[in-house]
Amino acid sequence: MSRLFYFSAGETGEWRIRSIEAVAGGGLSAACRLEVSSDAPRDGAWSVRGIVSNQRYVTRVEHSRLVPKQEPPGRAQATHGALIPIKKSPEWWALTQDERREILADRSRHIAIGLEYLPAIARRLHHCRDLGEREPFDFLTWFEWAPEHDPAFDELLARLRASEEWRYVEREVEVRLERD
Ligand code: HEM
């Protein structure tokens, strides 16, 4: 199975776009539907791509907490979703791996906070940075949940965005989705 995913906005796709909000930096243009595919799109409003990769920061202990709680995308009841492309600043990328880990996990508690929302929210992280020089984002984050967990997802976003890690986010777009 390909680890490369294209998220393409246009007239077709399984997901209906409910809203597109520029949280930081430039947004993305309005469109009706979003297609998630491993094949490059032929046309459409816009398209972003990212690759599922190995983990960078997770410790063995965190890994052993995450694995039994996390659910894969594609559950029948998970009809609400979000694509949140994120670009971090040059200051973030100038840090060393251990400094980034300290900010993300120890000081911002990203992994500990995220764990509280499993298994309700399914997630998949895609990396863009190593695909080329002209990628508009560093990460494409993908989430799916059942409609009754809408408040939980909003709360999760608010908690992460209030963290020290998010001071390094220079572009973030929130694309809210729904599937029939
Ligand atoms: C659903 C609960 C969540 C869990 C359990 C979770 C967990 C994680 C974990 C374990 C990593 C580190 C992966 C690694 O070791 O490389 C990570 C990275 C990341 N997560 Fe989350 N996360 C959650 C929600 C979110 C949300 C809501 C966002 C965006 C608004 C987000 C954005 C990111 C980004 C951008 C990275 C990459 C950070 C970097 O490498 O600099 N996460 N997440």
Side-chain angles (χ1 to χ4, degrees):
M1 203 183 90
S2 176
R3 292 189 289 118
L4 178 64
F5 290 88
Y6 292 87
F7 299 85
S8 312
E11 298 295 318
T12 58
E14 191 190 355
W15 294 88
R16 187 177 70 78
I17 298 178
R18 299 165 70 198
S19 62
I20 302 182
E21 186 198 345
V23 181
L28 290 165
S29 57
C32 298
R33 301 196 78 88
L34 186 84
E35 173 123 38
V36 184
S37 168
S38 288
D39 301 316
R42 262 171 277 163
D43 45 29
W46 50 261
S47 171
V48 288
R49 60 181 188 153
I51 194 155
V52 176
S53 184
N54 58 286
Q55 295 183 329
R56 311 304 207 246
Y57 302 108
V58 170
T59 62
R60 172 58 56 190
V61 172
E62 288 161 349
H63 180 78
S64 63
R65 289 187 188 130
L66 284 161
V67 168
K69 280 188 90 182
Q70 57 198 8
E71 292 280 345
R75 294 173 296 177
Q77 76 275 21
T79 55
H80 282 187
L83 169 69
I84 306 184
I86 285 178
K87 184 178 178 66
K88 285 184 169 176
S89 64
E91 290 72 30
W92 174 262
W93 293 109
L95 296 170
T96 60
Q97 183 76 12
D98 58 327
E99 289 168 327
R100 290 196 293 261
R101 153 85 206 178
E102 196 182 312
I103 294 168
L104 181 146
D106 304 340
R107 301 220 291 266
S108 304
R109 301 187 63 254
H110 183 132
I111 299 169
I113 291 172
L115 264 165
E116 294 177 34
Y117 298 86
L118 305 185
I121 295 165
R123 56 178 266 275
R124 195 168 65 209
L125 177 63
H126 313 77
H127 292 254
C128 323
R129 204 175 142 76
D130 294 335
L131 291 174
E133 292 300 315
R134 287 203 299 272
E135 297 301 317
F137 298 99
D138 296 330
F139 308 99
L140 306 178
T141 64
W142 177 262
F143 307 94
E144 291 180 12
W145 64 90
E148 69 256 32
H149 298 303
D150 279 351
F153 190 71
D154 291 343
E155 181 190 274
L156 168 64
L157 284 182
R159 290 175 73 187
L160 290 177
R161 286 176 181 154
S163 72
E164 184 181 344
E165 183 192 346
W166 250 254
R167 289 190 213 156
Y168 297 90
V169 172
E170 63 174 34
R171 189 175 178 200
E172 178 175 4
V173 187
E174 188 177 314
V175 183
R176 292 282 188 138
L177 306 160
E178 184 168 34
R179 98 174 122 193
D180 317 313

